[in-house]
Amino acid sequence: MATLQTIQKVVFLGLGHSGKSSIKSVVFEGKSPEEVMDYAATINYTRSTKGVLDSAFQIFDCGGQENFISVFVGDQAEFIFSDVIVLIWVVDVSNMDQISTSKFYFDHALKRLNQYSPEAEIYVFFHKNDLIIQNLQKQVIETMEQYFVSPYDNKITYRATSIFNQSIYLAIGEIIRTLMIKSTKAQTVSEAIREFLKQNKELGGVSIYTAEEGLPVFEEGELAEQIIIPANLCLTTNERIGSEFSVTDVFKTTIETNDYIFVFQHLKTTQELLLSGIARKIAPLQYVMVKMEQLATIVKELL
Ligand SMILES: Nc1nc2c(ncn2[C@@H]2O[C@H](COP(=O)(O)OP(=O)(O)OP(=O)(O)O)[C@@H](O)[C@H]2O)c(=O)[nH]1
Ligand SMILES: [Mg+2]
């Protein structure tokens, strides 16, 4: 993993109990939604470093109780809002009583972000979406989008999320991809993969996932639009994937579903899963495996 001079931050902010620590644990630490049910409020903030291919970033999970958040947008603003690459504002959409308080601090946070990290991407997660009655969801989210606009004209991306379905993985996966695109090396990798797919049309497409959490960092080809990653892969850790491998003498690192073959590459030295791909089942498994090996070699050489 490359060492970076300034490790850029992905900052989770939002009111207390909105679900920030739960999102972090479920997506980045492989916890199940049930395991985070009785999480206590975060005191001050926590930070952890994550590596994704050749990039690294820090995740700041900021406590959202008012005595903390008021300090983050106040006296500690420079510390919290410097070197931010992505700000994720989490709103509990099941708690409408708190919406205006959330917006109040959101506006303060944007002011600070514009001051210390004006280039940062801004996401608002309308979270705990599972608690809204299904036929009201669209209307609620649209109304919230109109409310959570920036007083400073920032571009904001809105996502409705829940830790109980794939929405949180899709949203975070998209953010991870944004981080990758910002890395020059990743662009080289992307180009190499695109080129490879052009030459090997039978594969249909490829998706690459992070070694540790299985987050999508790259998608290319026809698959990108069609694929819905099965929950058993999304809601996963290396260990869980390991237990689902089809174990044959030849292929120890594949999981097959009706339409797709999921391929995982073991890093022999550390036993980590370095790279995984998805191929649509239009070619025989053996062919797909050989192609994936070739692709992994190309990518490893570039990293
Ligand atoms: N229904 C539902 N509950 C959720 C979801 N995400 C988190 N929760 C629950 O919300 C509660 C609060 O979650 P936390 O992750 O501790 O909230 P937080 O934003 O970190 O709170 P602070 O640390 O005080 O800022 C927990 O009981 C979670 O189980 C979700 O998507 N849906
Ligand atoms: Mg917390």
Side-chain angles (χ1 to χ4, degrees):
M1 203 64 60
T3 47
L4 302 180
Q5 316 73 18
T6 315
I7 300 194
Q8 290 189 296
K9 295 191 271 197
V10 174
V11 176
F12 283 93
L13 268 170
L15 294 186
H17 217 254
S18 55
K20 302 176 293 296
S21 303
S22 305
I23 294 172
K24 193 191 76 173
S25 291
V26 169
V27 177
F28 294 105
E29 292 158 9
K31 297 258 166 58
S32 68
E34 289 70 31
E35 284 175 279
V36 303
M37 294 279 260
D38 52 2
Y39 265 17
T42 304
I43 305 301
N44 217 357
Y45 62 87
T46 67
R47 68 173 145 185
S48 41
T49 305
K50 286 281 148 196
V52 179
L53 296 184
D54 63 333
S55 314
F57 56 93
Q58 276 194 322
I59 300 172
F60 266 62
D61 170 20
C62 300
Q65 291 185 318
E66 284 202 64
N67 50 329
F68 300 122
I69 201 167
S70 59
V71 178
F72 297 147
V73 299
D75 291 348
Q76 282 189 7
E78 183 170 0
F79 169 68
I80 296 288
F81 290 93
S82 295
D83 303 315
V84 176
I85 188 163
V86 177
L87 172 74
I88 303 171
W89 189 267
V90 182
V91 182
D92 177 352
V93 284
S94 71
N95 188 357
M96 286 296 167
D97 291 351
Q98 291 278 317
I99 295 297
S100 57
T101 313
S102 179
K103 178 63 164 62
F104 171 80
Y105 285 111
F106 178 64
D107 289 354
H108 277 286
L110 291 186
K111 184 173 170 201
R112 296 308 201 174
L113 192 69
N114 288 332
Q115 204 174 340
Y116 295 111
S117 298
E119 302 296 321
E121 308 255 346
I122 304 162
Y123 284 80
V124 174
F125 284 4
F126 297 125
H127 192 57
K128 307 194 192 180
N129 191 36
D130 56 286
L131 296 177
I132 306 180
I133 303 166
Q134 200 141 17
N135 52 14
L136 285 182
Q137 280 176 359
K138 193 165 172 281
Q139 195 188 336
V140 170
I141 300 304
E142 276 172 14
T143 311
M144 298 285 274
E145 285 184 11
Q146 282 160 19
Y147 188 48
F148 276 83
V149 289
S150 166
Y152 313 102
D153 279 343
N154 296 90
K155 178 181 166 282
I156 298 173
T157 308
Y158 304 96
R159 294 287 174 260
T161 55
S162 164
I163 55 171
F164 290 98
N165 56 45
Q166 294 189 23
S167 57
I168 195 64
Y169 288 90
L170 295 175
I172 298 276
E174 185 187 336
I175 292 171
I176 301 284
R177 277 195 290 272
T178 312
L179 297 177
M180 298 299 300
I181 289 163
K182 291 192 171 180
S183 140
T184 348
K185 252 190 175 175
Q187 262 164 7
T188 323
V189 172
S190 309
E191 279 159 20
I193 294 171
R194 277 192 198 112
E195 191 53 37
F196 183 87
L197 283 175
K198 254 190 244 155
Q199 293 161 11
N200 297 280
K201 287 207 165 62
E202 304 88 335
L203 282 184
V206 62
S207 266
I208 294 177
Y209 290 78
T210 56
E212 286 172 27
E213 296 88 10
L215 293 168
V217 294
F218 181 86
E219 286 174 350
E220 187 59 45
E222 279 172 58
L223 288 179
E225 279 169 28
Q226 304 166 7
I227 200 143
I228 296 170
I229 305 156
N232 62 342
L233 289 188
C234 250
L235 308 168
T236 201
T237 60
N238 273 0
E239 291 74 40
R240 284 194 231 169
I241 291 179
S243 69
E244 301 209 18
F245 280 159
S246 65
V247 181
T248 70
D249 284 348
V250 192
F251 309 121
K252 287 198 168 61
T253 51
T254 62
I255 298 174
E256 292 188 53
T257 62
N258 285 346
D259 301 321
Y260 299 102
I261 301 168
F262 295 80
V263 185
F264 299 85
Q265 310 282 337
H266 276 284
L267 203 63
K268 288 204 176 59
T269 42
T270 59
Q271 291 298 306
E272 272 178 339
L273 298 169
L274 177 69
L275 165 76
S276 54
I278 300 176
R280 206 169 49 177
K281 271 197 194 167
I282 50 177
L285 177 60
Q286 188 140 13
Y287 175 87
V288 171
M289 288 300 286
V290 169
K291 290 297 168 192
M292 287 293 176
E293 285 291 343
Q294 289 172 5
L295 183 58
T297 311
I298 294 170
V299 170
K300 271 183 221 162
E301 275 166 12
L302 286 167
L303 291 178

